[in-house]
Amino acid sequence: MDEALLKRARECRYFRGALLELAAELPADDQALDLLLARAVTKRDNPGFGRILLAALGAGRRVDAHLLTSGASLLDDPGQVVAAAMHASGDVARALIEAVVFGHVTYERQATTLLLAGIWWKEKGNAPVPPDLIAQARVLSRRVGDNPFARLPLLALADLIQDEGLSAVLKSSPVAKSDPLLKDFVARLVDPVRNSPLGLVPEHAGPVMSSGFTVRRAVVRVGRNDPCPCGSGKKYKKCCVEKDRHRLQESSSVPGLTVEELRGQRERFLTKDELLNMRSHELAQLDPVKVEDSLKPLLINLLHRSGELEAVVELFEKTGVPAALEGHWGDAVDNTSLARRKDLLLRLVKLREGSTLKPDELRLEARLLLAGDAGDTTLKLMEEAALDGVKPTDGESAIELAYALLQGEYPALGILVGRGVISTAPYFEAVTLFDTLLEARDKLNLPPDDPVQSLIDQRFQESSDTHRDSKALKESHDRLESKSQEVGQLKSRLVELHSELEKKERENLRKQAMPPSPLQAAHPPVDEGLLHDLRSRVASLRGELNERHSERNQLRRDLKAALDDIEALRTKNSTQTEPAKEESEQAEERLLDADEAFGTQPVRIPEFPRKFIDSVSSLPPNAVRHCMTLIGRLASGEAGAFSGVKRIRACREIFRQRVGADHRLLFRLNSGTIELVALINRRDLERKIKSLTGS
């Protein structure tokens, strides 16, 4: 019965009349309806879940909000999410926040979902703002960068809940905070579906439209007066023309198959480009056993990016863990540990127990999660990592311990450990760890700035001292120094003002509590107007301080970018001054094409073939670390990362980029991926090119 209803829902046209007809066929019992929707979520049935949800809500049926936790990512557009949020029953805000934690959708959809949680909370009473809502909004605000489509809903949320920390993180937004703009945005989002969940659903059926693929005919072309292909002996127009017309409306990207028929065998026709364009629920529906081996690494990476961790674990349970996928299995362990999914982690570990799994192969974060409530084991693991971390030959264990605590169940302890590690870690790793520390503060609803920031600023200054002759760097450094002075002055003023306010309030309470003497008049309380003025000045100054913190953070990032550029230029210039290296540089340039302008590139998913992993195994760790940082910048499409990139003249689909003075990264740029070929010593470049071209 459920399967028939889901199939009926998938075939239902998207207009009000059709949805209300579907509603009449749904189970009359609310519990049975809940189970039907839950089954659609489990099957990741995007059209089935969306149609049934809207049909039920449109008919006034009760739909519990818990279905939105995993179901929100299945809805086709934000408008449907808004309709569900405004008309579902139960704790809608909690379900929407958990939907963002699951992370199956883009940053833009996550920001809109959090705003909807805030709107629902605001309209449902005077309860305190859910702490998780503030924490998730702060974390997301740090991650979205300058994306205006994600920042606008977050700005509206900050204006709605009046959280100083969230406002501080968003102060550097390219979208100006304007009350009329934000209120208009919220009104346009919510008003169309406030009275009816079908407010955005078309009144009448429109033309059948297919998108996301090139449509191929699901039936062969037959003339109306030709004999019907079914063999009945009748003319086509007298026999199967009406049946085929309906079938044509369901044409898919594969000739001869409808969309529904293709759903059952999509893996047979899967290509890399189709895989890259799939949504999370489509990826999770694929049977990994039927997917080509060459596409499985990409499928796993895309499932990770979409937050489909259960689908990743099910993939390994069906395919096993062959040597070619051991690295991806390690990624799955890391991601399930980060998500605190002990159930999934146990299933992953079970797949390699008693075989190739080494005792120390699991990262500390995974071992801590598996230790669970075994306090002695947990403390022993922490102590072992800390002991390794304080040894002069091993700084990695301390960094790993800090990340495991910050991203695990002990974020406050992680902040304290992270502060110590930041003081001794290499500068780039310290900055990266500091960003994770700030996210941990967001999750704990602490003020958005941390005292260790002064140490980060000091190390910035030390890093820039050797390059003070650079005009651009000097300007960036001076701006940062000036902003740091402003922050210091504001902190001092805030402390003084706060002390004055506390003194006045204590004096006021003491006078109010003191009984009047028979010989004296009652003690007049402190002027309430003065107290109100002091409180307003403290609040205003605190907001200004948060704003200056955000501005200083942005200047710190600008200064780091300037330092990176100067360091790259210094390295390049130093190599050119040595005659032997200069001759080698000239020989290398003869193997390459001329410079070309790349500009800002699209985001691409890195692919790490086994040959590439083998090519880095014997190289110096610093070179590999520099290379991995570069790969991240190239994959993100950062324009600066493509400065100096050139094509190999004999093999033009392969590009070369410098990794320091002595190493070279070779890679291919595909439509949605960046395929890593090799990381080699610059002396081996010509030999590598010959092996690639077969000459």
Side-chain angles (χ1 to χ4, degrees):
M1 178 64 180
D2 284 355
E3 288 302 322
L5 267 176
L6 289 175
K7 185 175 184 297
R8 164 78 175 88
R10 288 195 295 270
E11 295 173 349
C12 178
R13 298 285 299 280
Y14 189 63
F15 66 97
R16 294 183 192 178
L19 290 177
L20 292 175
E21 288 179 8
L22 175 63
E25 302 176 35
L26 296 178
D29 180 62
D30 285 345
Q31 186 175 1
L33 175 61
D34 190 276
L35 290 174
L36 176 65
L37 285 166
R39 180 169 178 78
V41 170
T42 302
K43 292 171 65 68
R44 309 299 288 154
D45 188 341
N46 151 252
F49 176 79
R51 298 293 193 273
I52 292 174
L53 178 71
L54 289 175
L57 291 174
R61 297 290 301 276
R62 185 186 189 280
V63 176
D64 195 273
H66 77 89
L67 293 161
L68 298 179
T69 297
S70 296
S73 64
L74 298 176
L75 299 174
D76 287 329
D77 57 64
Q80 293 183 0
V81 180
V82 180
M86 298 304 294
H87 295 277
S89 303
D91 193 345
V92 174
R94 169 58 47 197
L96 293 176
I97 295 168
E98 291 177 354
V100 171
V101 174
F102 270 86
H104 295 326
V105 294
T106 62
Y107 284 156
E108 294 90 339
R109 184 79 71 92
Q110 288 184 39
T112 301
T113 302
L114 289 176
L115 173 58
L116 288 171
I119 293 171
W120 188 90
W121 160 81
K122 189 78 171 180
E123 294 184 355
K124 295 301 178 180
N126 298 318
V129 182
D132 288 351
L133 174 59
I134 298 174
Q136 289 299 323
R138 289 185 187 178
V139 171
L140 183 60
S141 298
R142 295 187 188 278
R143 294 177 179 176
V144 298
D146 292 336
N147 183 342
F149 300 105
R151 280 188 170 261
L152 183 57
L154 290 171
L155 278 169
L157 177 61
D159 186 55
L160 186 73
I161 64 179
Q162 294 296 305
D163 178 66
E164 292 181 359
L166 178 57
S167 298
V169 175
L170 289 166
K171 282 295 184 182
S172 58
S173 172
V175 180
K177 182 176 179 181
S178 166
D179 288 345
L181 171 65
L182 299 179
K183 287 180 172 55
D184 181 65
F185 173 73
V186 171
R188 288 174 180 271
L189 187 70
V190 173
D191 287 354
V193 295
R194 184 175 292 280
N195 295 323
S196 169
L198 303 183
L200 288 174
V201 179
E203 185 75 35
H204 304 288
V208 176
M209 303 276 296
S210 296
S211 63
F213 56 87
T214 301
V215 178
R216 309 295 183 188
R217 293 179 62 91
V219 295
V220 296
R221 191 181 298 277
V222 182
R224 289 177 57 81
N225 293 313
D226 292 342
C228 187
C230 74
S232 65
K234 299 179 182 179
K235 289 185 178 182
Y236 182 56
K237 67 182 180 181
K238 298 288 187 181
C239 189
C240 293
V241 65
E242 290 301 324
K243 180 186 71 174
D244 285 354
R245 181 177 290 118
H246 175 73
R247 186 175 174 84
L248 275 173
Q249 293 177 344
E250 301 295 326
S251 294
S252 70
S253 59
V254 178
L257 295 180
T258 64
V259 172
E260 184 68 23
E261 291 167 345
L262 181 59
R263 285 172 63 90
Q265 49 184 322
R266 193 165 187 179
E267 298 83 0
R268 285 181 52 200
F269 309 97
L270 195 60
T271 66
K272 180 184 290 188
D273 287 340
E274 286 178 332
L275 200 58
L276 289 167
N277 288 320
M278 284 185 176
R279 289 179 59 188
S280 62
H281 59 83
E282 295 175 299
L283 296 167
Q285 287 175 340
L286 295 174
D287 184 349
V289 176
K290 298 177 183 178
V291 174
E292 289 184 14
D293 288 344
S294 61
L295 292 177
K296 285 176 183 174
L298 177 58
L299 172 59
I300 295 171
N301 289 340
L302 292 172
L303 286 170
H304 278 310
R305 188 182 70 174
S306 302
E308 297 282 358
L309 296 181
E310 293 192 16
V312 173
V313 176
E314 289 173 3
L315 182 150
F316 283 112
E317 288 175 334
K318 291 180 179 179
T319 65
V321 189
L325 295 181
E326 283 186 2
H328 293 280
W329 176 89
D331 292 339
V333 168
D334 291 344
N335 285 327
T336 52
S337 302
L338 184 62
R340 315 306 301 158
R341 291 295 303 273
K342 184 176 179 179
D343 57 328
L344 298 181
L345 179 58
L346 286 169
R347 289 163 61 184
L348 286 170
V349 172
K350 185 178 179 181
L351 293 173
R352 293 187 59 191
E353 280 181 345
S355 58
T356 58
L357 182 61
K358 300 175 183 178
D360 60 346
E361 191 170 344
L362 294 179
R363 294 173 65 89
L364 177 62
E365 191 169 346
R367 285 180 279 144
L368 285 174
L369 182 59
L370 290 174
D373 297 329
D376 292 344
T377 304
T378 300
L379 286 173
K380 185 178 179 181
L381 287 170
M382 291 182 185
E383 177 64 17
E384 289 174 353
L387 180 59
D388 288 338
V390 296
K391 292 177 181 177
T393 56
D394 183 10
E396 295 293 330
S397 296
I399 295 174
E400 185 178 353
L401 174 60
Y403 277 114
L405 296 172
L406 287 168
Q407 298 174 328
E409 295 181 1
Y410 309 98
L413 180 59
I415 291 173
L416 295 177
V417 173
R419 288 173 179 173
V421 173
I422 285 171
S423 66
T424 57
Y427 178 67
F428 178 79
E429 292 179 352
V431 172
T432 306
L433 178 61
F434 180 64
D435 289 338
T436 305
L437 185 151
L438 291 180
E439 286 196 5
R441 293 184 66 89
D442 292 335
K443 293 174 183 176
L444 294 172
N445 284 326
L446 296 172
D449 195 40
D450 190 90
V452 81
Q453 175 137 16
S454 60
L455 178 60
I456 293 286
D457 294 339
Q458 180 183 344
R459 296 189 66 183
F460 258 126
Q461 185 170 353
E462 293 170 356
S463 299
S464 62
D465 281 344
T466 56
H467 303 292
R468 283 303 184 92
D469 54 334
S470 164
K471 181 179 179 181
L473 184 63
K474 186 177 186 305
E475 290 176 354
S476 296
H477 187 276
D478 289 346
R479 286 197 300 270
L480 177 62
E481 206 167 61
S482 174
K483 193 60 64 178
S484 296
Q485 290 175 359
E486 286 184 37
V487 169
Q489 292 169 359
L490 283 172
K491 281 183 177 179
S492 298
R493 286 170 53 196
L494 183 59
V495 169
E496 293 173 1
L497 202 57
H498 199 271
S499 297
E500 183 181 353
L501 176 60
E502 287 185 338
K503 180 180 177 182
K504 295 290 186 185
E505 288 181 333
R506 284 196 304 269
E507 181 183 345
N508 191 37
L509 289 173
R510 187 175 65 253
K511 288 184 176 181
Q512 288 178 352
M514 186 180 298
S517 167
L519 302 177
Q520 296 176 342
H523 297 280
V526 176
D527 184 4
E528 280 296 331
L530 175 61
L531 286 177
H532 182 270
D533 180 60
L534 281 172
R535 293 189 189 103
S536 299
R537 288 166 61 191
V538 167
S540 175
L541 198 57
R542 187 179 290 117
E544 188 177 354
L545 180 60
N546 285 334
E547 183 175 353
R548 295 297 178 269
H549 274 310
S550 298
E551 292 172 355
R552 186 175 64 169
N553 289 342
Q554 184 60 47
L555 289 172
R556 179 170 57 83
R557 289 189 286 270
D558 294 343
L559 181 56
K560 182 180 182 301
L563 277 170
D564 290 343
D565 292 342
I566 290 172
E567 184 61 28
L569 183 61
R570 185 190 66 78
T571 302
K572 180 179 179 180
N573 290 339
S574 65
T575 58
Q576 291 176 345
T577 59
E578 301 177 23
K581 288 188 176 181
E582 185 175 351
E583 182 178 348
S584 175
E585 289 281 343
Q586 293 174 354
E588 180 177 343
E589 290 299 317
R590 288 195 290 270
L591 302 172
L592 307 172
D593 271 356
D595 291 336
E596 60 181 283
F598 286 89
T600 301
Q601 294 286 306
V603 174
R604 295 181 172 93
I605 306 299
E607 290 183 345
F608 294 89
R610 172 56 59 183
K611 289 184 178 179
F612 176 80
I613 297 173
D614 293 341
S615 75
V616 303
S617 60
S618 60
L619 295 177
N622 285 341
V624 177
R625 187 175 293 110
H626 187 176
C627 175
M628 298 306 293
T629 302
L630 174 63
I631 290 171
R633 296 173 61 202
L634 291 168
S636 70
E638 180 182 331
F642 285 83
S643 176
V645 170
K646 293 186 178 182
R647 294 180 186 269
I648 303 295
R649 184 167 294 173
C651 191
R652 298 193 75 254
E653 78 273 15
I654 296 180
F655 296 82
R656 179 232 66 175
Q657 177 60 303
R658 299 173 183 273
V659 180
D662 297 324
H663 294 85
R664 302 293 181 261
L665 175 65
L666 305 182
F667 58 94
R668 292 185 177 92
L669 294 177
N670 301 319
S671 61
T673 62
I674 175 170
E675 179 184 349
L676 290 314
V677 176
L679 176 64
I680 58 174
N681 192 289
R682 62 184 178 85
R683 296 189 301 270
D684 300 328
L685 180 60
E686 186 171 3
R687 183 164 61 250
K688 184 65 178 179
I689 292 174
K690 289 180 179 179
S691 71
L692 291 171
T693 58
S695 58

